[in-house]
Amino acid sequence: MAGEPKIRLDHVSKIYQGAEGPAVAELTLDIDPGEILVLVGPSGCGKSTTLRLINRMIEPTSGRIYLDGDDVTDVNPDQLRRRIGYVIQQIGLFPHQTIAENVATVPKMLRWDRKRISTRVDELLELVGLDPRVYRDRYPKELSGGQAQRVGVARALGADPSIMLMDEPFGAIDPITRESLQNEFLRLQEELRKTIVFVTHDIDEAIKMGDRIAILGEQSVVHQADTPERILAYPVDDFVRSFIGAGTAMKGLAFERVGDLDLAPFDEGRNGDGKPVGTITADATLFEALEEMLRTADGKTVVVDESGRPAGVVELSHLSDALRTAQDEARRHYDELGAAS
């Protein structure tokens, strides 16, 4: 990608004393400004270790780490961490502090004045969907898991860092709350445009959350780093293919929008039995269109405009054509990469 990366790991390794081999071996990886890069891989492959290397909670054995082009490998690690937001699965709120005090942790370290801190706390609680009048004076034990995770995100944003590291932040939450938090965080990212490195072991979460995904093997070896669409359409080796698993064609439908299709003309909004067919809007994904087709068992769904008027029809043939086109484009992309190298 063009331009200077926000974060660059240059042949970074971590070897623990007494270990048979490195936890992270010669990792080179660029993360661009404003993107979410998801690190995904099997347990023990070094995903969380890589995050801790970036903010130097653990020190690299070798290699260099760059932020905004500056080598930060030898700077004061405490000062470095204050530039980076960090969210973990266990949240780690201080139980003896109020929610407001938890959110204010880094601004206090930076010696912000009291009024500025108070304003920032209220702003962040509102940003993550928690009314400050209700929550600022509560304690962590009074929160649900989802509310506590929101406070963890607010605390990580306390000093408005340009970089956020997120280590399985939604992993310990029930599926319904997890999906809600994922959606809320993606909404926040549209507004904030932070540079985010996000760790998960769940390929479906990686596909949903990532602008790019880096699939890591043992010792954080990068098997493939690319957009979710390209990884799904054209995995580069058997390791990636086995990790993303079955159903990749279905997952690929989540990246195409109904409005991008050459829709069939609308003739009649009812099927042969006189029952209404499904409807969907132009900004829906093809996967959502398929779900609607299966719900009505009709093999097609009507696309409606903002006024609710029929604008065309999506049929099953559109879905197979879209997948075939995406796969062809991915193959051409990797053929071009091979020719360039």
Side-chain angles (χ1 to χ4, degrees), residues 1-296:
M1 294 183 179
E4 186 76 29
K6 185 73 174 180
I7 305 170
R8 169 167 286 169
L9 302 178
D10 184 14
H11 294 89
V12 173
S13 295
K14 179 61 182 178
I15 303 173
Y16 290 103
Q17 187 174 3
E20 294 183 0
V24 175
E26 295 285 324
L27 176 61
T28 296
L29 196 61
D30 288 352
I31 300 99
D32 290 316
E35 80 165 337
I36 301 178
L37 176 72
V38 179
L39 306 180
V40 63
S43 297
C45 72
K47 304 183 297 294
S48 295
T49 301
T50 299
L51 275 199
R52 296 188 190 108
L53 286 167
I54 292 173
N55 71 356
R56 291 182 51 212
M57 291 181 70
I58 57 176
E59 295 294 337
T61 305
S62 61
R64 314 306 293 177
I65 301 167
Y66 298 91
L67 300 185
D68 293 316
D70 297 327
D71 185 347
V72 298
T73 314
D74 298 320
V75 303
N76 184 300
D78 289 333
Q79 293 179 358
L80 173 66
R81 290 181 204 122
R82 292 170 190 173
R83 296 171 54 186
I84 300 173
Y86 193 50
V87 185
I88 58 175
Q89 179 176 336
Q90 295 82 8
I91 307 167
L93 300 181
F94 302 120
H96 62 288
Q97 293 185 350
T98 66
I99 300 312
E101 290 170 333
N102 268 279
V103 175
T105 299
V106 175
K108 284 180 180 177
M109 290 179 179
L110 297 176
R111 302 182 185 278
W112 289 15
D113 65 69
R114 188 173 299 177
K115 183 178 180 181
R116 184 183 179 191
I117 290 174
S118 180
T119 300
R120 181 63 175 163
V121 167
D122 288 353
E123 177 185 274
L124 288 170
L125 288 177
E126 289 179 354
L127 190 67
V128 299
L130 297 174
D131 186 340
R133 294 169 297 180
V134 176
Y135 290 98
R136 67 173 0 261
D137 295 322
R138 290 189 180 181
Y139 286 87
K141 66 181 181 181
E142 301 176 80
L143 304 180
S144 69
Q147 289 168 342
Q149 195 66 65
R150 288 171 185 262
V151 174
V153 171
R155 184 175 64 181
L157 291 168
D160 197 22
S162 59
I163 296 169
M164 291 186 68
L165 308 179
M166 307 186 75
D167 193 354
E168 301 206 44
F170 311 131
I173 300 171
D174 67 88
I176 293 175
T177 304
R178 184 181 191 184
E179 182 176 10
S180 173
L181 286 174
Q182 289 170 342
N183 293 339
E184 181 71 9
F185 188 79
L186 290 173
R187 182 193 67 77
L188 288 177
Q189 175 64 356
E190 284 293 319
E191 178 180 342
L192 301 175
R193 302 311 301 172
K194 303 295 184 183
T195 302
I196 299 168
V197 187
F198 188 109
V199 162
T200 182
H201 66 276
D202 182 343
I203 187 63
D204 290 327
E205 181 170 62
I207 290 166
K208 178 174 182 176
M209 300 298 293
D211 297 310
R212 287 191 302 138
I213 299 172
I215 298 184
L216 306 183
E218 189 175 349
Q219 300 176 349
S220 283
V221 171
V222 179
H223 283 254
Q224 185 169 0
D226 214 327
T227 63
E229 300 97 315
R230 288 171 177 159
I231 286 175
L232 288 173
Y234 203 64
V236 296
D237 59 24
D238 289 339
F239 178 87
V240 174
R241 195 172 294 108
S242 64
F243 191 82
I244 62 180
T248 56
M250 297 292 288
K251 293 171 185 172
L253 293 176
F255 298 99
E256 297 284 343
R257 296 285 167 184
V258 169
D260 295 331
L261 299 175
D262 183 12
L263 301 174
F266 173 77
D267 49 6
E268 186 177 348
R270 296 178 180 273
N271 62 21
D273 298 326
K275 298 177 181 178
V277 299
T279 60
I280 202 161
T281 58
D283 64 351
T285 66
L286 298 195
F287 187 83
E288 290 168 334
L290 178 59
E291 287 184 318
E292 189 66 9
M293 291 178 194
L294 294 174
R295 186 183 68 80
T296 59

